[in-house]
Amino acid sequence: MTDTPPKPQTSRRTFIKLTAVTGAAVALGHRAGAQTASSPARSGDLLMYQEGPKKGQPVKAADLKEGVAVWAMAVDPATKKPRDAMKSGVVVVRLKPSEIKDSSKKNASGGVVAYSSVCTHQGCPVKEIGSLGQGKGNIICTCHGSIFDPRDNATVLGGPAPRRLAALPLKAGAGGDLMAAAEFTGKIGPK
Ligand code: FES
């Protein structure tokens, strides 16, 4: 009499584990794909002035004055065009080195930080650095008065904005041109 070979079995626990791992991998894949496909800024993108006499020129850390903001677009270096007409916009600020909090240091280059210029409340473009009161030295959205601290990773100091502005990590490229060192650290604009 011959022995019948045992049938391979998948226990319920193994099945659940496999399903969970596969599901997580698929979710990660989808998320990574979505970020890559729709990212308004990627590592290596150049920051170019959005307005003023230097419009279209690269922003250099050495040209910026402490506490003064400039508005720029993160631009695909191959096409010299922003990846998104609105969501690639950034406010760029040079800070006093002694004032930069740890939360901002990791994303700064040469004392310069950059944040999405799309307000997280209702999507207005943030357009000012304040000069008075609570707004002094901070990024202000004049639509409804939200205030963001550029020294502390654009945390919300006041107004209706539900969350900070997304940071764009920076690095210096050839000739001191500021470039994105990674994608934005969070979602752009309102939910
Ligand atoms: S859209 Fe910026 S405060 Fe409302």
Side-chain angles (χ1 to χ4, degrees):
M1 182 172 140
T2 52
D3 286 342
T4 310
K7 282 187 189 167
Q9 289 188 348
T10 303
S11 72
R12 182 175 156 72
R13 187 175 292 174
T14 307
F15 176 76
I16 290 170
K17 264 191 198 166
L18 282 171
T19 306
V21 168
T22 307
V26 168
L28 270 175
H30 283 174
R31 202 166 60 204
Q35 283 178 344
T36 302
S38 61
S39 174
R42 300 179 196 173
S43 178
D45 281 1
L46 283 165
L47 264 54
M48 293 194 159
Y49 286 92
Q50 193 179 0
E51 56 192 18
K54 291 187 177 175
K55 184 175 177 179
Q57 294 180 28
V59 180
K60 297 176 189 288
D63 295 343
L64 303 176
K65 294 184 181 127
E66 263 178 21
V68 177
V70 301
W71 276 262
M73 297 296 281
V75 168
D76 179 349
T79 63
K80 297 286 188 290
K81 291 193 172 137
R83 297 183 191 274
D84 185 289
M86 193 173 84
K87 291 183 175 178
S88 298
V90 285
V91 50
V92 187
V93 193
R94 174 186 278 287
L95 300 168
K96 269 190 190 166
S98 59
E99 291 183 348
I100 305 178
K101 304 263 174 64
D102 287 345
S103 58
S104 286
K105 273 184 189 159
K106 60 180 185 286
N107 296 325
S109 174
V112 178
V113 289
Y115 300 101
S116 165
S117 57
V118 184
C119 183
T120 56
H121 177 223
Q122 288 183 2
C124 285
V126 295
K127 275 289 176 189
E128 271 189 39
I129 289 281
S131 56
L132 295 170
Q134 191 188 17
K136 191 170 181 183
N138 294 314
I139 300 165
I140 296 179
C141 178
T142 51
C143 278
H144 311 98
S146 288
I147 304 172
F148 306 91
D149 186 350
R151 308 160 203 85
D152 191 10
N153 206 22
T155 194
V156 181
L157 295 178
R163 60 184 208 287
R164 65 185 71 223
L165 301 169
L168 185 65
L170 296 179
K171 62 183 178 182
D177 294 352
L178 288 172
M179 308 168 80
E183 298 184 348
F184 282 101
T185 59
K187 184 172 161 35
I188 308 297
K191 283 199 170 164

